[in-house]
Amino acid sequence: MSVTDVVRPVQPISFDQQFAGEVPKYMRSECKNNYKPKLSVERGYDPIKAENAIQQFRNAVKDCDLTDSSDEYLVKWLIAQDFDVARAEKMLRQSLEWRRMSGADGILDSYTPNEVVKQYFSMGNVGLDKFGCPVFVCALGRMDLKGLLSSLTKKEYFNYLTWMLETFVVVITQANNQTGCRTRKQTFIIDLDQFAMRHLTSKPVGSFMNAGAAIITMIQNYLANYPDQFRRIFIINAPAMFPWLFGFIKPLLAQNDVPKFKIFGSNKKEWISALQEEIESDQFPSYYGGSMTDPDGDPKCPSKLNLGGEVPRSFYLRKNPPVAKDYMETLSISAGIGGKKRLEYNVDDAHSTIRWEFMTEGGDISYRVYNKNNKNNSDDLVPHCRVDSHLVMEEGLISCDQPGKYVFEFDNSYSYLRKKKLRYHIVVEQPENSQ
């Protein structure tokens, strides 16, 4: 008997849909009290032995404002750090800071994905596995990462990334509420068909990072802020270069996460068999060996996910250069020797935030952000980087761990002939708990 024979199927979520941010509540009568998935998720730890570590961890983070303080939530951080309480505390506190800086808590209400990611970023929820975990499919090999990065600002990319990660949590919670299964996990099918070295090395003109860095950043944010959240990752159609690529990913993984990967090459019979072993056929697309189709019979189920594809150049940002905003200030920067300008900002309260956005006319610019300590030494917070701010608005923020003087240095000394006009807006925001 399939999962759908026991409980009403969870409505698959397409990633071109914006969530209102509130998880739907289901009446008890809609949940099957006797719901039993075909298989159960292993804890991966001894709950009796873990009890003491959980209590120590709870005491260590009792000053933190947690939206979830259950044992099930806390133990995820301990699992990721092999039950080292001190390391788990550090990881959780860093994640809470990330949530504050990224606006993760309100991202589902404040952000709407734009058309290019709706149409060309491949990720979709298609159903449940036999453990009651939501199944997500990503056709990474078919995604035009170069085109996507050419079409997104840094802020848009990180907003979408945060939105997507928070959406995973919503879908998992919806599935748990509807099935009565408290898995708090998800399953991925990552299709690397057509994946090539260009997916890693291509850096579009005007882009803030190359494609390889974009993939690694996605993985880092997921693992650092949503620990022990995936039950299984199926990698299918892996190219010959994948063992080399996995060598970069493996150090990011917790020890207990490595066995959760099942990696297959292009032998379709092998990976279809593996998928069907853990996912009922009616819970994933016919295109991948299941029996699910769209109402019109399409085996790729485009109503539930897109398979990527080439991004039209009409989306590219360099065809639409940035426009200065009314509130921006203007600074002229000479070429050659003397082509440096410094802007200093005093920060009075620890944990303040400095946000900035700037663009240039006349070409690119190099900049760095650093703070001067009491000994008048400087610590780089944003190392020297040369950005195509004449093509894309450069945006960013930093959290200031301590009061002091923070400096933005703009450098055009490498340009012998062209002076630049800088249009900028930099603001210091006090922490929320300051008077």
Side-chain angles (χ1 to χ4, degrees), residues 116 120-121 140-153 157 195-212 214-215 309-313 315-318:
V116 71
Y120 297 100
F121 193 102
L140 181 59
R142 297 173 182 269
M143 284 171 59
D144 178 10
L145 291 172
K146 180 179 179 180
L148 285 167
L149 292 172
S150 296
S151 307
L152 297 171
T153 65
Y157 172 75
F195 192 88
M197 185 62 75
R198 70 177 183 276
H199 285 84
L200 302 176
T201 58
S202 59
K203 183 179 185 297
V205 175
S207 175
F208 53 91
M209 65 171 67
N210 65 29
I215 294 172
E310 185 175 354
V311 177
R313 290 182 174 269
F315 284 109
Y316 284 20
L317 294 175
R318 68 172 178 263

Side-chain angles (χ1 to χ4, degrees), residues 108-126:
L108 298 180
D109 291 322
S110 64
Y111 170 73
T112 302
N114 64 23
E115 285 302 315
V116 71
V117 290
K118 285 181 182 180
Q119 296 181 36
Y120 297 100
F121 193 102
S122 176
M123 183 67 75
N125 167 228
V126 295

Side-chain angles (χ1 to χ4, degrees), residues 26 30 46 53 60 69 75 96 114 127 193 218 236-237 256 266 279 281 312 358 397 408 429 431:
Y26 295 92
E30 292 185 314
D46 183 336
S69 59
V75 79
L96 292 174
N114 64 23
D193 184 34
M218 202 182 314
I236 62 174
N237 294 314
N256 71 308
S266 57
I279 311 170
S281 62
F358 68 82
L397 57 82
F408 283 72
E429 299 176 350

Side-chain angles (χ1 to χ4, degrees), residues 24-88:
K25 304 296 188 297
Y26 295 92
M27 298 298 292
R28 193 66 182 170
S29 60
E30 292 185 314
C31 297
K32 298 295 186 180
N33 294 333
N34 63 347
Y35 172 75
K36 299 290 184 184
K38 281 198 166 185
L39 302 171
S40 59
V41 179
E42 294 183 4
R43 289 179 183 269
Y45 66 94
D46 183 336
I48 297 176
K49 293 181 179 179
E51 187 175 347
N52 184 49
I54 293 173
Q55 188 56 48
Q56 290 182 41
F57 186 36
R58 186 184 298 281
N59 291 335
V61 298
K62 62 184 179 183
D63 61 307
C64 296
D65 184 15
L66 302 178
T67 55
D68 185 351
S69 59
S70 66
D71 287 357
E72 291 85 353
Y73 175 77
L74 295 177
V75 79
K76 286 174 168 284
W77 304 89
L78 289 166
I79 290 173
Q81 296 299 333
D82 199 23
F83 282 84
D84 184 310
V85 174
R87 295 207 321 255

